[in-house]
């Protein structure tokens, strides 16, 4: 394991006061309240749904425009659905910049969490290596063994279990 990890890296730092955490949680609650109409779906629902990607969006916008400009060629049921489809398109246009900002913020939060965790793991691994080298004469064998469990490979199921003595 030596040489694989940098010694005492510090790639990220984040210190939040309790007041900041409280304000962030209040802001998130406000976002959740304002966006309470957002929809949640199961993965199978997403897979089955007809989707409007970048290419089909041009088609959809043009088709709605053509329908709106030629109301005499569409049946009443489609005419009744047109205002809802146009409102949905407006909502898509409103939601996209919000999603972009949320996705960027979420990505930065995820990267920061990963980097902070990496910093912690680097120091923890160096500490574990120190325990292995110099912890024997300090009575730290039990702790070293406990921490070493993280690195033990699990036995294959095909191997017979050792019999108890």
């Amino acid at each position: 394991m030596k040489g694989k990890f940098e010694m005492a890296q510090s790639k990220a730092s984040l210190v939040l006061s309790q007041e900041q955490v409280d304000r962030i949680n209040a802001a998130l609650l406000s976002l959740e309240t304002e966006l309470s109409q957002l929809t949640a779906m199961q993965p199978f629902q997403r897979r089955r749904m007809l989707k409007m990607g970048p290419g089909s969006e041009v088609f959809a916008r043009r088709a709605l425009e053509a329908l709106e400009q030629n109301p005499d060629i569409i049946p009443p049921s489609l005419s009744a659905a047109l205002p809802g489809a146009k409102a949905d398109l407006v909502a898509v246009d409103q939601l996209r910049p919000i999603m972009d900002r949320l996705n960027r913020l979420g990505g930065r939060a995820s990267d920061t969490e990963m980097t902070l965790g990496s910093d912690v793991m680097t120091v923890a691994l160096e500490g574990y290596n120190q325990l292995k080298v110099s912890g024997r004469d300090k009575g730290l064998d039990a702790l070293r063994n406990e921490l070493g469990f993280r690195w033990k490979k699990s036995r294959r199921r095909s191997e017979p279990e050792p019999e108890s003595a």
Side-chain angles (χ1 to χ4, degrees):
M1 292 258 140
K2 278 197 171 189
K4 190 174 182 179
F5 302 100
E6 299 172 22
M7 178 67 170
Q9 74 178 17
S10 183
K11 295 185 180 208
S13 179
L14 177 67
V15 178
L16 296 172
S17 68
Q18 187 56 51
E19 291 79 19
Q20 287 175 298
V21 171
D22 292 344
R23 285 193 304 269
I24 291 166
N25 283 328
L28 289 171
L29 178 61
S30 177
L31 281 172
E32 291 167 346
T33 301
E34 294 299 324
L35 296 170
S36 64
Q37 295 178 49
L38 294 179
T39 302
M41 292 188 296
Q42 297 297 318
F44 76 91
Q45 293 171 307
R46 286 187 204 99
R47 284 190 300 271
R48 292 182 182 166
M49 184 172 284
L50 180 62
K51 296 166 187 75
M52 183 178 73
S56 57
E57 182 176 342
V58 173
F59 162 81
R61 287 180 186 276
R62 294 283 294 143
L64 293 182
E65 184 179 296
L67 292 173
E68 190 174 50
Q69 292 173 357
N70 299 286
D72 54 318
I73 66 165
I74 58 176
S77 61
L78 188 54
S79 181
L82 186 59
K86 290 191 62 67
D88 288 349
L89 196 55
V90 168
V92 164
D93 291 339
Q94 291 173 327
L95 189 56
R96 278 195 181 138
I98 294 168
M99 285 175 37
D100 288 343
R101 291 181 70 186
L102 289 172
N103 286 333
R104 279 193 306 273
L105 184 60
R108 288 176 42 214
S110 181
D111 289 350
T112 301
E113 178 192 30
M114 184 181 295
T115 306
L116 291 167
S118 179
D119 288 350
V120 170
M121 281 300 294
T122 298
V123 173
L125 285 169
E126 287 298 321
Y128 173 67
N129 286 333
Q130 281 303 122
L131 281 173
K132 289 191 318 188
V133 172
S134 50
R136 293 182 196 271
D137 61 344
K138 304 285 186 198
L140 298 174
D141 283 340
L143 177 60
R144 180 182 53 81
N145 289 335
E146 177 187 333
L147 294 175
F149 184 76
R150 160 72 172 89
W151 304 108
K152 290 192 191 284
K153 294 182 181 181
S154 61
R155 281 188 230 127
R156 293 186 182 144
R157 291 183 181 216
S158 61
E159 294 178 14
E161 291 290 322
E163 294 181 22
S164 57

